[in-house]
Amino acid sequence: MISNRLREESKEAHILLEKQVVKVLKKIRSDQDYLKMLEKFYTYFSQVEKAIAPFLTTEILPDYGERRNSTYIGNDIRELNGTIPNSVQITLPDINDIYQAFGALYVMEGSIMGGRTIVQILEKHNVTKGISFFSGYGDDTMKMWSVFTETINKLPRNEADGDSIVQAARETFSNFGRLFEESNVLDEVQG
């Protein structure tokens, strides 16, 4: 199954990104610190969503319209009295077909799975507003993940399709990590 292959073959890039996000989370002490992190998430997610949109439909993923997206991050930014960041030039994964789109979406949906941990870390520092995106799908989070993995597992027709999905996931993790590095978000968040 491609979901198992994705987990294994993108593990290194996933762990690197996770470490970068956790470093930032550990420095957050205020809503303003958290807002800086949310801006990075919004910048990346909104642009990746635009890149995958031509390839994803409700015919392929029936609940696509119900899935969390950068709109939720934008709402969280506004709840913290922030402003939606202007679109800046960032490095995106190559997304030229449905397989690459699903590889990128795997990373984005996976971030929701880790959202509960993020919310718990934030709560330790009394940051409790603007967490709708990371709150995931509530009690339906595992169900939504299951639907996603069932769909992605049906997708590849051959090894090359699977390779394309995995490569896009790796690039999505790595490019998102670079956004955290390049922006010096660690320096911006005053912990």
Side-chain angles (χ1 to χ4, degrees):
M1 285 192 287
I2 192 65
S3 60
N4 292 336
R5 186 176 164 203
L6 269 166
R7 186 173 47 253
E8 288 304 312
E9 294 183 30
S10 67
K11 182 186 280 185
E12 187 177 323
H14 183 183
I15 289 170
L16 273 169
L17 173 60
E18 198 170 78
K19 285 179 181 178
Q20 291 167 316
V21 171
V22 168
K23 279 182 189 177
V24 172
L25 281 168
K26 287 182 175 181
K27 292 182 83 174
I28 291 174
R29 295 293 181 268
S30 69
D31 288 349
Q32 286 307 109
D33 290 344
Y34 175 49
L35 184 58
K36 289 177 174 96
M37 186 185 94
L38 279 179
E39 289 169 349
K40 302 306 173 199
F41 270 81
Y42 182 87
T43 295
Y44 194 70
F45 277 50
S46 64
Q47 292 185 46
V48 171
E49 286 167 5
K50 287 177 187 168
I52 67 176
F55 306 103
L56 298 177
T57 65
T58 54
E59 291 173 3
I60 298 163
L61 184 60
D63 61 359
Y64 183 55
E66 300 166 35
R67 294 197 171 262
R68 294 286 164 149
N69 57 48
S70 62
T71 303
Y72 290 88
I73 303 169
N75 291 341
D76 290 340
I77 288 170
R78 284 187 281 280
E79 185 176 345
L80 294 168
N81 297 315
T83 305
I84 301 300
N86 292 327
S87 188
V88 295
Q89 183 82 18
I90 62 171
T91 304
L92 294 173
D94 287 330
I95 300 174
N96 301 303
D97 60 32
I98 189 172
Y99 307 106
Q100 292 171 326
F102 262 88
L105 188 58
Y106 169 81
V107 174
M108 296 166 72
E109 284 294 312
S111 71
I112 294 166
M113 294 297 293
R116 289 183 186 193
T117 302
I118 290 173
V119 169
Q120 289 171 349
I121 292 170
L122 292 169
E123 286 174 346
K124 287 180 184 177
H125 300 291
N126 297 316
V127 176
T128 57
K129 293 188 322 185
I131 58 171
S132 72
F133 177 77
F134 291 118
S135 296
Y137 303 110
D139 292 339
D140 290 334
T141 298
M142 289 307 295
K143 176 185 157 213
M144 295 292 280
W145 180 250
S146 178
V147 168
F148 176 76
T149 56
E150 287 172 19
T151 303
I152 201 170
N153 283 332
K154 295 175 187 172
L155 213 65
R157 300 165 300 179
N158 53 47
E159 183 126 356
D161 293 347
D163 292 346
S164 189
I165 293 170
V166 170
Q167 183 59 32
R170 282 188 194 135
E171 287 179 20
T172 304
F173 279 125
S174 297
N175 292 340
F176 192 29
R178 275 196 283 287
L179 180 64
F180 275 87
E181 289 171 5
E182 293 166 1
S183 68
N184 295 318
V185 72
L186 289 170
D187 296 332
E188 293 173 25
V189 173
Q190 306 294 316

